[in-house]
Amino acid sequence: MKNLSVSRLVKLAVVAAIYVALTVALSSLSYGNIQFRIAEALMLLCFYRKDYGISLTLGCLIANIFSTVGLVDMVFGTAATVLAVICMIHSPNIYVASIFPVIFNGIIVGLELYWFSGLPFWLSAIEVAAGEFVCVCILGVVLFKILEKNQKFMKLLTE
């Protein structure tokens, strides 16, 4: 990232904005113990280019402002994203990369819901992890495996 061009900066900003827009627009699905945050499929962008981690972390932070627990979710949810991104950028393949958001969000958001909302930890962790699994491991992986076949898209994504 030593030579961050205007074009690259715009792409990163657009990804952050899409994450926020999808999360807030689908807020009834995006927050709480049973959540299907469709924007989480974008997490797989980190597998293709690590600087998307900045976009996704910022997008998550901003989207979590609108969470029912606000500041708490900004801290815990964003921490889960950062840890997932760190692991994803070192993953050997997209399938392994897709598991990290499931694990980190399940545990960290599960703890958040337990500590601050009084919900049962294991149930919350499983519910959050299940939503992540659907959005990242199924929806996200299928979407990106299809998009990998489009050379123009992949060039746009990685340059």
Side-chain angles (χ1 to χ4, degrees):
M1 277 206 346
K2 59 184 173 183
N3 294 325
L4 186 63
S5 67
V6 171
S7 172
R8 190 76 206 138
L9 186 60
V10 168
K11 287 176 187 175
L12 296 175
V14 166
V15 168
I18 291 170
Y19 185 100
V20 174
L22 279 172
T23 303
V24 174
L26 302 171
S27 62
S28 62
L29 298 173
S30 299
Y31 303 106
N33 56 321
I34 300 175
Q35 53 183 254
F36 290 93
R37 193 176 279 199
I38 304 299
E40 284 289 295
L42 295 171
M43 288 292 292
L44 293 172
L45 289 168
C46 298
F47 174 72
Y48 298 98
R49 190 169 164 135
K50 63 184 176 182
D51 60 352
Y52 283 115
I54 297 165
S55 302
L56 296 161
T57 300
L58 182 60
C60 179
L61 178 71
I62 294 168
N64 286 343
I65 292 170
F66 302 96
S67 166
T68 55
V69 288
L71 182 61
V72 170
D73 208 17
M74 289 171 66
V75 172
F76 286 90
T78 305
T81 296
V82 169
L83 293 172
V85 165
I86 290 168
C87 293
M88 292 174 83
I89 63 176
H90 299 292
S91 295
N93 60 58
I94 194 169
Y95 304 105
V96 172
S98 72
I99 295 298
F100 291 110
V102 175
I103 294 168
F104 286 111
N105 279 287
I107 293 169
I108 294 172
V109 177
L111 284 170
E112 172 191 337
L113 292 166
Y114 172 72
W115 288 330
F116 298 99
S117 298
L119 297 172
F121 168 70
W122 286 110
L123 180 59
S124 297
I126 290 168
E127 289 171 340
V128 171
E132 284 289 311
F133 184 82
V134 169
C135 292
V136 182
C137 298
I138 297 174
L139 176 67
V141 168
V142 168
L143 175 66
F144 280 99
K145 291 309 269 181
I146 291 168
L147 292 173
E148 279 180 0
K149 296 175 185 173
N150 184 321
Q151 292 177 346
K152 288 181 182 180
F153 177 80
M154 291 307 293
K155 184 179 180 192
L156 177 68
L157 181 70
T158 58
E159 63 180 24

mmCIF file of all heavy atoms in Angstrom, residues 52-85:
data_model
loop_
_atom_site.group_PDB
_atom_site.id
_atom_site.type_symbol
_atom_site.label_atom_id
_atom_site.label_comp_id
_atom_site.label_asym_id
_atom_site.label_seq_id
_atom_site.Cartn_x
_atom_site.Cartn_y
_atom_site.Cartn_z
ATOM 1 N N TYR A 52 -8.303 -4.692 1.245
ATOM 2 C CA TYR A 52 -9.751 -4.624 1.447
ATOM 3 C C TYR A 52 -10.103 -4.785 2.938
ATOM 4 O O TYR A 52 -11.196 -4.437 3.348
ATOM 5 C CB TYR A 52 -10.492 -5.675 0.622
ATOM 6 C CG TYR A 52 -10.618 -5.317 -0.833
ATOM 7 C CD1 TYR A 52 -9.996 -6.085 -1.814
ATOM 8 C CD2 TYR A 52 -11.366 -4.215 -1.243
ATOM 9 C CE1 TYR A 52 -10.109 -5.761 -3.159
ATOM 10 C CE2 TYR A 52 -11.482 -3.882 -2.577
ATOM 11 C CZ TYR A 52 -10.846 -4.659 -3.533
ATOM 12 O OH TYR A 52 -10.964 -4.329 -4.855
ATOM 13 N N GLY A 53 -9.172 -5.297 3.704
ATOM 14 C CA GLY A 53 -9.393 -5.408 5.147
ATOM 15 C C GLY A 53 -9.655 -4.053 5.784
ATOM 16 O O GLY A 53 -10.444 -3.944 6.730
ATOM 17 N N ILE A 54 -9.021 -3.015 5.269
ATOM 18 C CA ILE A 54 -9.247 -1.656 5.767
ATOM 19 C C ILE A 54 -10.695 -1.244 5.488
ATOM 20 O O ILE A 54 -11.387 -0.728 6.362
ATOM 21 C CB ILE A 54 -8.266 -0.661 5.098
ATOM 22 C CG1 ILE A 54 -6.827 -1.007 5.470
ATOM 23 C CG2 ILE A 54 -8.605 0.778 5.471
ATOM 24 C CD1 ILE A 54 -5.787 -0.333 4.602
ATOM 25 N N SER A 55 -11.144 -1.488 4.265
ATOM 26 C CA SER A 55 -12.521 -1.150 3.875
ATOM 27 C C SER A 55 -13.535 -1.859 4.743
ATOM 28 O O SER A 55 -14.513 -1.255 5.208
ATOM 29 C CB SER A 55 -12.787 -1.573 2.433
ATOM 30 O OG SER A 55 -11.900 -0.973 1.552
ATOM 31 N N LEU A 56 -13.320 -3.143 4.941
ATOM 32 C CA LEU A 56 -14.286 -3.951 5.675
ATOM 33 C C LEU A 56 -14.292 -3.621 7.155
ATOM 34 O O LEU A 56 -15.345 -3.609 7.792
ATOM 35 C CB LEU A 56 -14.025 -5.424 5.407
ATOM 36 C CG LEU A 56 -14.253 -5.750 3.928
ATOM 37 C CD1 LEU A 56 -13.587 -7.049 3.538
ATOM 38 C CD2 LEU A 56 -15.727 -5.765 3.597
ATOM 39 N N THR A 57 -13.127 -3.319 7.693
ATOM 40 C CA THR A 57 -13.054 -2.917 9.097
ATOM 41 C C THR A 57 -13.762 -1.578 9.294
ATOM 42 O O THR A 57 -14.570 -1.423 10.214
ATOM 43 C CB THR A 57 -11.582 -2.824 9.557
ATOM 44 O OG1 THR A 57 -10.972 -4.115 9.394
ATOM 45 C CG2 THR A 57 -11.488 -2.394 11.000
ATOM 46 N N LEU A 58 -13.490 -0.629 8.429
ATOM 47 C CA LEU A 58 -14.142 0.675 8.513
ATOM 48 C C LEU A 58 -15.648 0.544 8.271
ATOM 49 O O LEU A 58 -16.456 1.144 8.996
ATOM 50 C CB LEU A 58 -13.523 1.652 7.516
ATOM 51 C CG LEU A 58 -14.070 3.070 7.515
ATOM 52 C CD1 LEU A 58 -13.869 3.723 8.887
ATOM 53 C CD2 LEU A 58 -13.400 3.904 6.439
ATOM 54 N N GLY A 59 -16.034 -0.244 7.276
ATOM 55 C CA GLY A 59 -17.450 -0.455 6.995
ATOM 56 C C GLY A 59 -18.171 -1.085 8.178
ATOM 57 O O GLY A 59 -19.269 -0.660 8.551
ATOM 58 N N CYS A 60 -17.548 -2.064 8.800
ATOM 59 C CA CYS A 60 -18.130 -2.711 9.979
ATOM 60 C C CYS A 60 -18.269 -1.722 11.129
ATOM 61 O O CYS A 60 -19.313 -1.661 11.786
ATOM 62 C CB CYS A 60 -17.263 -3.901 10.389
ATOM 63 S SG CYS A 60 -17.854 -4.767 11.840
ATOM 64 N N LEU A 61 -17.233 -0.946 11.365
ATOM 65 C CA LEU A 61 -17.262 0.051 12.440
ATOM 66 C C LEU A 61 -18.414 1.034 12.246
ATOM 67 O O LEU A 61 -19.197 1.290 13.167
ATOM 68 C CB LEU A 61 -15.928 0.804 12.495
ATOM 69 C CG LEU A 61 -15.819 1.911 13.535
ATOM 70 C CD1 LEU A 61 -15.756 1.311 14.936
ATOM 71 C CD2 LEU A 61 -14.592 2.765 13.263
ATOM 72 N N ILE A 62 -18.552 1.547 11.042
ATOM 73 C CA ILE A 62 -19.621 2.514 10.756
ATOM 74 C C ILE A 62 -20.993 1.846 10.837
ATOM 75 O O ILE A 62 -21.929 2.391 11.429
ATOM 76 C CB ILE A 62 -19.408 3.172 9.381
ATOM 77 C CG1 ILE A 62 -18.136 4.035 9.403
ATOM 78 C CG2 ILE A 62 -20.627 4.011 8.978
ATOM 79 C CD1 ILE A 62 -17.665 4.498 8.033
ATOM 80 N N ALA A 63 -21.127 0.655 10.266
ATOM 81 C CA ALA A 63 -22.417 -0.053 10.297
ATOM 82 C C ALA A 63 -22.841 -0.364 11.728
ATOM 83 O O ALA A 63 -24.033 -0.320 12.052
ATOM 84 C CB ALA A 63 -22.330 -1.335 9.478
ATOM 85 N N ASN A 64 -21.878 -0.647 12.590
ATOM 86 C CA ASN A 64 -22.202 -0.996 13.974
ATOM 87 C C ASN A 64 -22.631 0.203 14.813
ATOM 88 O O ASN A 64 -23.164 0.022 15.905
ATOM 89 C CB ASN A 64 -21.048 -1.750 14.623
ATOM 90 C CG ASN A 64 -20.950 -3.169 14.110
ATOM 91 O OD1 ASN A 64 -21.897 -3.689 13.530
ATOM 92 N ND2 ASN A 64 -19.821 -3.799 14.314
ATOM 93 N N ILE A 65 -22.468 1.401 14.299
ATOM 94 C CA ILE A 65 -23.017 2.584 14.969
ATOM 95 C C ILE A 65 -24.530 2.439 15.069
ATOM 96 O O ILE A 65 -25.151 2.856 16.039
ATOM 97 C CB ILE A 65 -22.662 3.882 14.191
ATOM 98 C CG1 ILE A 65 -21.161 4.158 14.264
ATOM 99 C CG2 ILE A 65 -23.476 5.071 14.694
ATOM 100 C CD1 ILE A 65 -20.691 5.268 13.332
ATOM 101 N N PHE A 66 -25.123 1.800 14.056
ATOM 102 C CA PHE A 66 -26.577 1.663 13.970
ATOM 103 C C PHE A 66 -27.110 0.415 14.677
ATOM 104 O O PHE A 66 -28.303 0.168 14.668
ATOM 105 C CB PHE A 66 -27.004 1.670 12.503
ATOM 106 C CG PHE A 66 -26.567 2.909 11.786
ATOM 107 C CD1 PHE A 66 -25.394 2.930 11.042
ATOM 108 C CD2 PHE A 66 -27.307 4.081 11.891
ATOM 109 C CE1 PHE A 66 -24.977 4.082 10.392
ATOM 110 C CE2 PHE A 66 -26.902 5.240 11.249
ATOM 111 C CZ PHE A 66 -25.726 5.239 10.501
ATOM 112 N N SER A 67 -26.219 -0.347 15.277
ATOM 113 C CA SER A 67 -26.609 -1.547 16.013
ATOM 114 C C SER A 67 -27.441 -1.184 17.238
ATOM 115 O O SER A 67 -27.373 -0.063 17.736
ATOM 116 C CB SER A 67 -25.339 -2.290 16.458
ATOM 117 O OG SER A 67 -25.622 -3.263 17.422
ATOM 118 N N THR A 68 -28.196 -2.141 17.714
ATOM 119 C CA THR A 68 -29.012 -1.909 18.915
ATOM 120 C C THR A 68 -28.155 -1.660 20.150
ATOM 121 O O THR A 68 -28.636 -1.083 21.111
ATOM 122 C CB THR A 68 -29.943 -3.107 19.175
ATOM 123 O OG1 THR A 68 -29.143 -4.293 19.251
ATOM 124 C CG2 THR A 68 -30.974 -3.243 18.073
ATOM 125 N N VAL A 69 -26.898 -2.079 20.119
ATOM 126 C CA VAL A 69 -25.995 -1.838 21.257
ATOM 127 C C VAL A 69 -24.864 -0.871 20.898
ATOM 128 O O VAL A 69 -23.949 -0.675 21.691
ATOM 129 C CB VAL A 69 -25.441 -3.158 21.835
ATOM 130 C CG1 VAL A 69 -26.504 -3.914 22.590
ATOM 131 C CG2 VAL A 69 -24.827 -4.029 20.770
ATOM 132 N N GLY A 70 -24.924 -0.250 19.737
ATOM 133 C CA GLY A 70 -24.040 0.839 19.318
ATOM 134 C C GLY A 70 -22.569 0.690 19.648
ATOM 135 O O GLY A 70 -21.868 -0.097 19.031
ATOM 136 N N LEU A 71 -22.105 1.460 20.628
ATOM 137 C CA LEU A 71 -20.683 1.520 20.966
ATOM 138 C C LEU A 71 -20.114 0.150 21.294
ATOM 139 O O LEU A 71 -18.993 -0.186 20.888
ATOM 140 C CB LEU A 71 -20.455 2.491 22.134
ATOM 141 C CG LEU A 71 -19.009 2.698 22.563
ATOM 142 C CD1 LEU A 71 -18.185 3.275 21.420
ATOM 143 C CD2 LEU A 71 -18.932 3.611 23.769
ATOM 144 N N VAL A 72 -20.863 -0.654 22.001
ATOM 145 C CA VAL A 72 -20.403 -1.998 22.360
ATOM 146 C C VAL A 72 -20.145 -2.811 21.091
ATOM 147 O O VAL A 72 -19.105 -3.465 20.956
ATOM 148 C CB VAL A 72 -21.443 -2.707 23.265
ATOM 149 C CG1 VAL A 72 -21.119 -4.169 23.452
ATOM 150 C CG2 VAL A 72 -21.551 -1.995 24.605
ATOM 151 N N ASP A 73 -21.064 -2.759 20.147
ATOM 152 C CA ASP A 73 -20.906 -3.500 18.897
ATOM 153 C C ASP A 73 -19.797 -2.902 18.043
ATOM 154 O O ASP A 73 -19.114 -3.629 17.317
ATOM 155 C CB ASP A 73 -22.218 -3.531 18.125
ATOM 156 C CG ASP A 73 -22.350 -4.755 17.233
ATOM 157 O OD1 ASP A 73 -21.606 -5.726 17.432
ATOM 158 O OD2 ASP A 73 -23.222 -4.739 16.346
ATOM 159 N N MET A 74 -19.612 -1.595 18.146
ATOM 160 C CA MET A 74 -18.514 -0.961 17.414
ATOM 161 C C MET A 74 -17.179 -1.549 17.870
ATOM 162 O O MET A 74 -16.289 -1.773 17.056
ATOM 163 C CB MET A 74 -18.533 0.554 17.613
ATOM 164 C CG MET A 74 -19.680 1.242 16.908
ATOM 165 S SD MET A 74 -19.839 2.984 17.365
ATOM 166 C CE MET A 74 -18.329 3.656 16.685
ATOM 167 N N VAL A 75 -17.041 -1.799 19.161
ATOM 168 C CA VAL A 75 -15.792 -2.345 19.705
ATOM 169 C C VAL A 75 -15.686 -3.844 19.415
ATOM 170 O O VAL A 75 -14.719 -4.303 18.801
ATOM 171 C CB VAL A 75 -15.683 -2.073 21.220
ATOM 172 C CG1 VAL A 75 -14.488 -2.802 21.823
ATOM 173 C CG2 VAL A 75 -15.601 -0.578 21.489
ATOM 174 N N PHE A 76 -16.675 -4.619 19.858
ATOM 175 C CA PHE A 76 -16.585 -6.072 19.752
ATOM 176 C C PHE A 76 -16.748 -6.576 18.322
ATOM 177 O O PHE A 76 -15.977 -7.432 17.868
ATOM 178 C CB PHE A 76 -17.621 -6.738 20.677
ATOM 179 C CG PHE A 76 -17.240 -6.675 22.114
ATOM 180 C CD1 PHE A 76 -17.636 -5.603 22.902
ATOM 181 C CD2 PHE A 76 -16.482 -7.676 22.700
ATOM 182 C CE1 PHE A 76 -17.276 -5.524 24.236
ATOM 183 C CE2 PHE A 76 -16.128 -7.613 24.030
ATOM 184 C CZ PHE A 76 -16.522 -6.534 24.813
ATOM 185 N N GLY A 77 -17.739 -6.078 17.617
ATOM 186 C CA GLY A 77 -17.961 -6.512 16.240
ATOM 187 C C GLY A 77 -16.797 -6.157 15.333
ATOM 188 O O GLY A 77 -16.383 -6.956 14.482
ATOM 189 N N THR A 78 -16.246 -4.971 15.534
ATOM 190 C CA THR A 78 -15.107 -4.547 14.724
ATOM 191 C C THR A 78 -13.863 -5.356 15.074
ATOM 192 O O THR A 78 -13.079 -5.712 14.189
ATOM 193 C CB THR A 78 -14.863 -3.035 14.884
ATOM 194 O OG1 THR A 78 -16.084 -2.343 14.564
ATOM 195 C CG2 THR A 78 -13.757 -2.553 13.968
ATOM 196 N N ALA A 79 -13.698 -5.692 16.348
ATOM 197 C CA ALA A 79 -12.566 -6.546 16.755
ATOM 198 C C ALA A 79 -12.663 -7.913 16.078
ATOM 199 O O ALA A 79 -11.649 -8.452 15.597
ATOM 200 C CB ALA A 79 -12.535 -6.700 18.271
ATOM 201 N N ALA A 80 -13.872 -8.461 16.009
ATOM 202 C CA ALA A 80 -14.068 -9.748 15.334
ATOM 203 C C ALA A 80 -13.681 -9.635 13.858
ATOM 204 O O ALA A 80 -13.036 -10.537 13.307
ATOM 205 C CB ALA A 80 -15.518 -10.206 15.479
ATOM 206 N N THR A 81 -14.041 -8.531 13.236
ATOM 207 C CA THR A 81 -13.696 -8.312 11.828
ATOM 208 C C THR A 81 -12.190 -8.221 11.640
ATOM 209 O O THR A 81 -11.629 -8.843 10.740
ATOM 210 C CB THR A 81 -14.387 -7.044 11.288
ATOM 211 O OG1 THR A 81 -15.800 -7.253 11.331
ATOM 212 C CG2 THR A 81 -13.954 -6.715 9.867
ATOM 213 N N VAL A 82 -11.521 -7.469 12.497
ATOM 214 C CA VAL A 82 -10.062 -7.313 12.391
ATOM 215 C C VAL A 82 -9.367 -8.671 12.520
ATOM 216 O O VAL A 82 -8.481 -9.009 11.719
ATOM 217 C CB VAL A 82 -9.533 -6.319 13.451
ATOM 218 C CG1 VAL A 82 -8.016 -6.363 13.530
ATOM 219 C CG2 VAL A 82 -10.013 -4.903 13.139
ATOM 220 N N LEU A 83 -9.759 -9.458 13.505
ATOM 221 C CA LEU A 83 -9.138 -10.771 13.695
ATOM 222 C C LEU A 83 -9.410 -11.696 12.508
ATOM 223 O O LEU A 83 -8.511 -12.415 12.054
ATOM 224 C CB LEU A 83 -9.630 -11.396 15.000
ATOM 225 C CG LEU A 83 -9.171 -10.679 16.272
ATOM 226 C CD1 LEU A 83 -9.873 -11.251 17.497
ATOM 227 C CD2 LEU A 83 -7.653 -10.759 16.433
ATOM 228 N N ALA A 84 -10.627 -11.656 11.989
ATOM 229 C CA ALA A 84 -10.959 -12.473 10.822
ATOM 230 C C ALA A 84 -10.125 -12.048 9.614
ATOM 231 O O ALA A 84 -9.575 -12.904 8.903
ATOM 232 C CB ALA A 84 -12.443 -12.376 10.505
ATOM 233 N N VAL A 85 -10.003 -10.738 9.405
ATOM 234 C CA VAL A 85 -9.219 -10.226 8.268
ATOM 235 C C VAL A 85 -7.765 -10.691 8.367
ATOM 236 O O VAL A 85 -7.185 -11.152 7.379
ATOM 237 C CB VAL A 85 -9.295 -8.681 8.193
ATOM 238 C CG1 VAL A 85 -8.219 -8.118 7.280
ATOM 239 C CG2 VAL A 85 -10.674 -8.240 7.723
#
